[in-house]
Amino acid sequence: MTDSAPHVPDLARAADGTRLAYQRRGAGHPLVLLPGQANNHHWWDPVRADFHGTHTTITLDYRGTGDSEAPQGGYSTRQFADDVIAVLDASGVERADVYGTSMGGRVAQWVAARYPERVRRLVLGCTSPGGPHAVQRDASVRRALAHPHPETARRTLVDLMYSPAWRADHPGPYPTLGDPDMPPHARRGHLVASNAHDAWDALPDIGAPTLILHGDQDRLTPPDNVPLLAARIPDARTHLFRGARHAYFHERRAEAGGLVAAFLGG
């Protein structure tokens, strides 16, 4: 079951005036769900309802995606983190749990490090600290994703997201392959933002209890980044999903959702 019925988004304003669309579902303590690079809130459609027994989920369309505006500039993981705070302010939320995956995990690092009073608990999924300390994806993966034929690049991304066995029983469509309606300048801005991320020096400032999750077969963001993050974030816990790739939260929905729910309820 998914929570993909159409809703009218709420609107917030970033400090630079950019209009940001966000979505609230469920009831309970607020939980911010942050998607991956060049994706909008639909990234979370397959699993967000799993949290509604205990949480109000809050998603947003990053600037450049979905119903948010697409300015010519302002694309960085720091700026995205400031946008998250603008959404929390607009929705009247003083303190929330934050769960970010992929680039959303990079954004979540800045939210927790720069705004510690706003984060109760933090979950980082399939992400990295960025910068020279991070373990980067293999060059062959980069080349495959940059293939000039869009359908070939898409098939590569699907393979990086989900295991072949799971895909055989779940033929799609998949909500994790990017927002198809992004303008080119925004897509480039998201790529630059994710690639330029470097929160290494800020990670020790994270004071919220933190859970780090990753698929052990993730080639998009190698799992060797897990111990790097855990060593920098005080008292962080970790868990690897055996056989899972980048979209572990979707493919291993029950297991991952259960771990996150238990951690947020702790």
Side-chain angles (χ1 to χ4, degrees):
M1 179 179 179
T2 64
D3 189 22
S4 56
H7 294 263
V8 177
D10 294 306
L11 296 176
R13 288 280 179 181
D16 65 357
T18 299
R19 187 187 66 208
L20 304 168
Y22 67 98
Q23 307 80 22
R24 292 174 63 108
R25 312 277 191 274
H29 189 78
L31 169 62
V32 178
L33 298 172
L34 298 174
Q37 173 191 320
N39 280 267
N40 58 37
H41 72 280
H42 290 300
W43 172 279
W44 290 102
D45 280 354
V47 303
R48 73 180 297 171
D50 296 346
F51 301 108
H52 290 164
T54 55
H55 284 77
T56 296
T57 59
I58 301 172
T59 51
L60 76 154
D61 294 334
Y62 292 125
R63 55 179 62 209
T65 72
D67 291 314
S68 291
E69 288 184 325
Q72 289 295 323
Y75 296 92
S76 71
T77 52
R78 285 177 180 256
Q79 179 61 67
F80 293 148
D82 292 344
D83 291 348
V84 172
I85 298 302
V87 165
L88 291 180
D89 288 346
S91 56
V93 172
E94 292 294 325
R95 198 161 182 247
D97 295 327
V98 178
Y99 182 6
T101 47
S102 198
M103 189 188 77
R106 296 177 174 91
V107 176
Q109 293 164 34
W110 286 123
V111 174
R114 298 176 69 195
Y115 302 96
E117 73 283 359
R118 307 300 294 269
V119 180
R120 189 185 74 102
R121 286 181 175 254
L122 175 68
V123 183
L124 302 176
C126 53
T127 194
S128 83
H133 296 284
V135 178
Q136 303 296 333
R137 67 191 59 151
D138 187 85
S140 64
V141 173
R142 292 183 181 275
R143 289 194 297 269
L145 288 170
H147 195 281
H149 193 287
E151 182 56 29
T152 300
R154 178 192 172 279
R155 287 197 298 267
T156 295
L157 183 56
V158 171
D159 186 61
L160 291 167
M161 287 285 183
Y162 305 101
S163 69
W166 191 82
R167 295 200 309 269
D169 294 327
H170 303 81
Y174 307 110
T176 55
L177 305 184
D179 183 341
D181 298 322
M182 287 182 72
H185 75 271
R187 193 173 297 278
R188 289 192 297 270
H190 274 240
L191 178 62
V192 170
S194 190
N195 288 344
H197 175 75
D198 183 359
W200 185 260
D201 291 338
L203 293 176
D205 296 334
I206 294 176
T210 302
L211 175 65
I212 303 168
L213 304 175
H214 218 107
D216 72 349
Q217 301 299 309
D218 189 345
R219 296 178 62 217
L220 198 58
T221 302
D224 287 345
N225 286 288
V226 171
L228 299 177
L229 287 166
R232 297 291 289 173
I233 300 173
D235 301 318
R237 310 178 197 177
T238 67
H239 183 85
L240 290 177
F241 298 93
R242 293 189 179 276
R245 300 187 178 186
H246 197 63
Y248 73 85
F249 54 93
H250 187 185
E251 178 169 344
R252 304 291 283 275
R253 173 182 178 177
E255 183 183 359
L259 281 172
V260 172
F263 173 73
L264 296 181

